Amino acid sequence: MLPMIVDPAFARPGRFWKGNVHTHSDLSDGMRSPEAVCATYREAGYDFLALTDHFRDKYGYPIVDTRPYRTAGFTTILGAELHAPVTALGEIWHILAVGLPMDFAPNGAEETGPELAARAIAAGAFVAIPHPAWNGLRLEDAAAIPGAHAVEVYNHTCQVRTERGDSVHFADQLLAGGRRINLIAVDDAHFACMDAFGGWLMVKAEANEPEALLAALKDGAFYATQGPQIHDIAWGEEEVEITCSPAASVMVLGRGSRAVQHVAPGTTRVRLPFGAHREGGFARVVVADAHGRRAWANPVHFER
């Protein structure tokens, strides 16, 4: 008998909380104050926010203390976007770190991007590879930070400003190579244009509290979305049942060209076979609505 598959985003207790984990303020290169950024997301109905200003010398290495902006229904997680020289393409490293301590030390004089990422992970952070399509990351770059928990499959400001917001192909290459990594969608909002509310996470936790949310992020108990909701994913031995908001298509994708799909407007529940995906090592669910907006579940993995 084949093993059953458990998806932590839907199997664990708790409820889903809406949040953005990549955002900037005027303490680095954003256009709004930290208080205003938090208010913007709180008033838009978000449950939590990570303000992740650029952790660079020219900005004073900020880890913004957003704790004063928490309310009874809105919380924040401390974090930053870390930087060091250089990627395989010669670009400065961008490393998203959510859940950093306030006393996280500035970069060492010779500290590399992979070393900085490892230090952030050791400090307790959820670390993600941001916008690989935007800054031309290569697979060898991702391989250099093996502890990264996730990769951005969608970055809204990169899409709005440069049409390089979609990094699904990069994520699939990592997964096809055997990398076990999760998928996030973010705004990366700077507020110089309409770059907010385009991509977010739905995180499953028992409480809307920083520690609970951070633990859920590290456990992969979330899905990423531009709007569609995934209510449940139940993996059986050979079929997966997906329940969602009205969708135009529901897909199960795997290594290479492996794909099964149900394409019908208004779909809210469907069962799809995934047996052919087992040999490829992984499967992941994508739900798309009539406007082309997508929701991405984290991949499940199989022994090859």
Side-chain angles (χ1 to χ4, degrees):
M1 179 177 291
L2 294 170
M4 301 295 285
I5 302 163
V6 177
D7 188 322
F10 303 96
R12 73 188 287 146
R15 53 155 285 191
F16 282 106
W17 307 94
K18 180 179 180 178
N20 180 37
V21 296
H22 189 170
T23 326
H24 298 278
S25 78
D26 61 5
L27 293 189
S28 63
D29 62 346
M31 303 301 291
R32 299 185 185 180
S33 69
E35 183 177 11
V37 172
C38 290
T40 297
Y41 280 92
R42 184 182 67 247
E43 292 165 4
Y46 282 64
D47 298 302
F48 71 93
L49 175 73
L51 188 56
T52 53
D53 274 309
H54 294 285
F55 196 69
R56 301 185 67 178
D57 177 63
K58 67 178 180 177
Y59 301 122
Y61 292 107
I63 296 178
V64 184
D65 187 359
T66 54
R67 292 173 295 184
Y69 313 128
R70 296 171 181 170
T71 67
F74 177 83
T75 196
T76 64
I77 308 174
L78 306 187
E81 187 169 0
L82 311 178
H83 301 280
V86 283
T87 68
L89 203 61
E91 299 267 338
I92 188 171
W93 272 99
H94 292 243
I95 298 163
L96 186 66
V98 177
L100 287 173
M102 285 292 298
D103 61 354
F104 188 73
N107 300 32
E110 303 296 327
E111 193 168 28
T112 67
E115 289 168 345
L116 186 58
R119 183 158 63 86
I121 293 167
F126 169 83
V127 167
I129 302 168
H131 45 57
W134 173 75
N135 59 332
L137 277 188
R138 297 177 179 173
L139 295 179
E140 62 197 89
D141 295 315
I145 47 175
H149 300 91
V151 59
E152 289 181 0
V153 290
Y154 182 73
N155 180 299
H156 191 54
T157 197
C158 289
Q159 185 62 30
V160 169
R161 297 173 69 107
T162 68
E163 204 183 22
R164 290 178 174 173
D166 191 322
S167 296
V168 172
H169 180 62
F170 186 85
D172 271 342
Q173 289 185 79
L174 294 177
L175 294 169
R179 180 74 176 265
R180 297 198 172 201
I181 197 163
N182 289 323
L183 314 177
I184 63 173
V186 302
D187 277 341
D188 194 3
H190 292 66
F191 302 99
C193 63
M194 295 295 291
D195 61 353
F197 316 138
W200 59 91
L201 297 181
M202 299 298 294
V203 179
K204 187 78 170 290
E206 294 192 82
N208 186 30
E209 298 175 353
E211 295 78 11
L213 295 168
L214 185 59
L217 286 168
K218 292 179 182 178
D219 289 345
F222 63 86
Y223 67 90
T225 185
Q226 297 170 306
Q229 298 176 1
I230 304 176
H231 301 310
D232 192 31
I233 298 178
W235 295 90
E237 293 185 0
E238 294 288 347
E239 288 188 323
V240 58
E241 183 175 67
I242 301 107
T243 309
C244 57
S245 57
S249 64
V250 181
M251 297 162 274
V252 183
L253 306 178
R255 186 174 187 270
S257 62
R258 292 172 173 85
V260 292
Q261 61 283 124
H262 179 81
V263 181
T267 296
T268 57
R269 185 184 300 269
V270 66
R271 294 176 68 113
L272 292 170
F274 66 91
H277 295 48
R278 286 183 176 272
E279 185 179 348
F282 76 95
R284 62 181 185 86
V285 171
V286 184
V287 173
D289 67 13
H291 302 287
R293 299 176 301 183
R294 295 160 292 169
W296 301 267
N298 284 323
V300 297
H301 299 272
F302 317 112
E303 295 300 326
R304 296 188 184 180

